[in-house]
Amino acid sequence: MKKLSKFLQIGLLFLMVLALVACSSDDTDSTAEKPDEDAGEKVETSVAGDASTELDLPTKTFKLAHITATDHMWHLAAEKFNEELQARSGGKMKVEIYPASQLGTEADMVQQVEAGSIDFALITAAYLSARTPDLAAWFTPYAFNSLQDAYEMSQGELGKEMLKQIEGTGLKSLDYLFAGQRVMITKDKEVTKPSDLKGLKMRVTPSPPLTFFYQSTGAAPEALPLPEVYSALQTGVIDGMDMDLDATITNKYSEVAKYATVTNHMVWPSIILTNEKAFNDLSADAQKIITESLVVASKYAVDTRASQEEDFKKQLADQGMTVTELGADVYAEEIQKFDAEYSAKSDLMKRFIEAARN
C-alpha cells in the first residue's frame, strides 16, 4: 500500500506539471503581438540596398511638370526620379511626367502646385527670383568654374538656406536640378566682347538678375516664355537669347541662329517644388523615399551633363553654327557691377556671393 501511495503521488505531480505547461502556452498565445489594423497601408521593400523593411506608403501616381523637351537633361532627370521612386517604394509610388510646358508656363505650374492639382514642378530659379529675391545670387556671373562646384554649393548650408526662402506661401522646395551653364545664342551677329551685345534684343527668362546683367552690357533684355523663343528668333522679334547648350540643341535653335558664344557665365538650376501641406500629409517613409530619390536624380543630372559639354559644342558646330568661347576676363566690368549691386541687397546674397568667389 505504501508503494501504491507513492506511485499515485508521482503520477499526480506529473499531471500538475503538464497542466502548468499548457496554461503557460495559452497565456503566450493570448498576449502575442497582433498586427495594428489602423497602422495604414504597408509594403515590403528594399530601400537603397538596405535589408528588406516594412514601409508605410501610399499607392500613388504623382504628377510632375516642367518646361523642357523630352531629350533635355531636366526631363531625363525627372525620369531618373521616377525610376528611383518606383524601385525604392516597391512599385507603389511613381511619377507621371508632363514635359515641354504641356501644363502651361512656369507661372501656371507654380499656381497648380499651390492649388495641389500637380504634385511636383521643376521651376527655374531665375523665374522664382522674381518672388524670392535671394535666389538671384545663383545668377552671379562667373561665380562657378563648373557644374560640380555649383552642385556642391547647392548641397551645403547656404544652398539649403536659399531653398528655405521659398517656403511659407504653401510651397515646399525639395532640391535643385541643374542643366548646363548659360551661353549666348545670336541670330546674325557674333559676340566676342560685351560691346557686341549693345542694342541687341536678347531673350531672357523673366528674372531681375538676368535683366540686370544684360542691361549692364548694353543689350535690351526681352522676357519671353520658352515655347515662343523659336518663332521670335526666326521672325526677328529678338536678335538672340540667353540659353544653355542643352536647350539650344533640344529646341533646334541652330535652324534659326548662326552663332553660339560659349561664355558659361551663369549656372542654371531649377528648383523642385511641391505643395507643402500635401507633402507634410505623407507618411515619414514616403517623404524619405521622395527626398532620397530626388537626391539621386539631382546628382545624376550634374554628372551626366558635365560630361556632355564638348559633345554639345561639336554638335552645334556640325549643325552649322559658329561656336566661340569667351572667358570671365572679358566681362570683368559686368561682374564687378553685379557683385556690388546684389551683395548690397541682403546678407544672405552677400554671403553666397562671397562664398562662391572664394
Side-chain angles (χ1 to χ4, degrees):
M1 289 294 292
K2 289 181 179 180
K3 289 182 179 179
L4 179 60
S5 175
K6 187 173 182 180
F7 178 78
L8 288 173
Q9 288 176 2
I10 292 171
L12 287 171
L13 181 62
F14 179 72
L15 289 173
M16 289 174 65
V17 170
L18 287 177
L20 287 171
V21 170
C23 289
S24 176
S25 177
D26 289 343
D27 289 345
T28 301
D29 289 344
S30 65
T31 58
E33 185 177 351
K34 295 180 180 179
D36 183 359
E37 295 177 358
D38 298 322
E41 191 171 14
K42 296 181 182 291
V43 64
E44 190 85 6
T45 188
S46 177
V47 179
D50 293 339
S52 187
T53 312
E54 270 198 347
L55 300 176
D56 179 10
L57 300 175
T59 299
K60 185 172 178 61
T61 299
F62 297 99
K63 291 182 178 180
L64 181 152
H66 63 77
I67 61 173
T68 62
T70 55
D71 48 356
H72 187 272
M73 180 47 63
W74 284 347
H75 183 78
L76 300 179
E79 291 182 326
K80 185 68 173 177
F81 170 47
N82 182 36
E83 175 187 316
E84 288 291 322
L85 195 63
Q86 291 191 57
R88 291 165 182 262
S89 69
K92 297 192 73 67
M93 296 193 296
K94 61 183 178 180
V95 176
E96 192 173 76
I97 304 170
Y98 296 84
S101 301
Q102 287 182 15
L103 300 185
T105 64
E106 290 190 286
D108 296 328
M109 287 186 280
V110 170
Q111 289 179 355
Q112 290 170 68
V113 172
E114 289 173 330
S117 57
I118 60 176
D119 302 289
F120 304 105
L122 311 182
I123 304 296
T124 62
Y127 170 79
L128 290 171
S129 69
R131 56 187 285 166
T132 307
D134 283 329
L135 291 173
W138 274 110
F139 306 101
T140 302
Y142 295 98
F144 302 100
N145 293 323
S146 68
L147 282 180
Q148 294 288 356
D149 289 346
Y151 176 77
E152 288 176 13
M153 177 74 89
S154 76
Q155 300 304 303
E157 180 181 340
L158 286 172
K160 301 298 184 186
E161 191 173 347
M162 283 283 185
L163 287 183
K164 289 179 182 177
Q165 307 309 305
I166 297 171
E167 299 177 8
T169 60
L171 297 173
K172 182 175 181 61
S173 49
L174 297 174
D175 209 335
Y176 298 93
L177 197 60
F178 287 90
Q181 298 186 76
R182 302 308 275 183
V183 302
M184 300 172 186
I185 305 298
T186 46
K187 183 178 181 180
D188 297 313
K189 185 175 182 180
E190 184 176 9
V191 175
T192 61
K193 55 186 182 298
S195 60
D196 290 333
L197 289 166
K198 189 173 182 179
L200 292 188
K201 292 173 288 185
M202 295 290 288
R203 180 267 175 184
V204 300
T205 300
S207 167
L210 271 71
T211 298
F212 179 87
F213 174 76
Y214 275 97
Q215 284 177 337
S216 73
T217 70
E222 299 278 346
L224 287 175
L226 191 63
E228 298 177 20
V229 171
Y230 185 100
S231 61
L233 193 61
Q234 186 178 39
T235 58
V237 172
I238 56 175
D239 301 304
M241 69 191 87
D242 180 271
M243 194 55 60
D244 55 56
L245 293 179
D246 316 42
T248 303
I249 291 171
T250 59
N251 290 291
K252 305 183 187 306
Y253 293 138
S254 62
E255 295 175 352
V256 290
K258 297 178 183 176
Y259 300 101
T261 304
V262 180
T263 49
N264 287 339
H265 55 280
M266 294 174 184
V267 294
W268 198 248
S270 66
I271 291 174
I272 301 126
L273 296 182
T274 191
N275 181 285
E276 185 173 24
K277 182 180 184 306
F279 188 81
N280 289 341
D281 285 345
L282 292 170
S283 68
D285 287 335
Q287 291 179 25
K288 184 172 186 289
I289 285 178
I290 289 168
T291 302
E292 290 177 346
S293 297
L294 285 171
V295 168
V296 173
S298 180
K299 187 67 167 62
Y300 163 81
V302 168
D303 290 345
T304 304
R305 179 58 187 83
S307 68
Q308 295 172 324
E309 185 78 3
E310 294 306 315
D311 181 56
F312 282 176
K313 287 186 286 188
K314 184 178 184 304
Q315 283 188 51
L316 292 176
D318 290 344
Q319 292 168 11
M321 295 190 78
T322 298
V323 179
T324 306
E325 298 190 50
L326 294 181
D329 56 322
V330 176
Y331 289 93
E333 185 177 338
E334 287 72 24
I335 291 170
Q336 187 176 13
K337 286 180 182 177
F338 188 99
D339 286 7
E341 177 77 13
Y342 278 87
S343 290
K345 288 185 179 293
S346 80
D347 176 66
L348 178 54
M349 279 195 273
K350 180 181 179 183
R351 287 185 287 119
F352 188 97
I353 291 170
E354 288 176 349
R357 293 287 184 215
N358 293 330

